[in-house]
Amino acid sequence: GTTKSIGLGWEVTKGCYFDHLVGHDGDIDGFHSKLRFDADRGFGFVLLGNSDGADLGACLLYTSRCV
């Protein structure tokens, strides 16, 4: 038989406000999520949306600039 496995795909980004912002996004049938954390600063946050109209990308950009 065939074996399938699912792994978590983590992304690491560097920007003006963070040296190593680690994150993972998820979507399914109208539900969306974005998780980000900065281990060097000791904090993280999760954005959740329950609508296809939820613009979590804009929320993430705004949140990243405020912390």
Side-chain angles (χ1 to χ4, degrees), residues 12-23:
V12 179
T13 57
K14 182 176 181 176
C16 298
Y17 304 102
F18 301 96
D19 286 332
H20 293 97
L21 190 62
V22 180

Side-chain angles (χ1 to χ4, degrees), residues 34 47 54-63:
K34 294 187 178 292
L47 300 174
D55 188 0
L56 294 186
C59 293
L60 177 63
L61 185 61
Y62 178 79
T63 304

Side-chain angles (χ1 to χ4, degrees), residues 37-57:
F37 67 91
D38 184 342
D40 295 333
R41 294 184 183 183
F43 79 93
F45 54 90
V46 177
L47 300 174
L48 302 172
N50 63 350
S51 166
D52 283 329
D55 188 0
L56 294 186

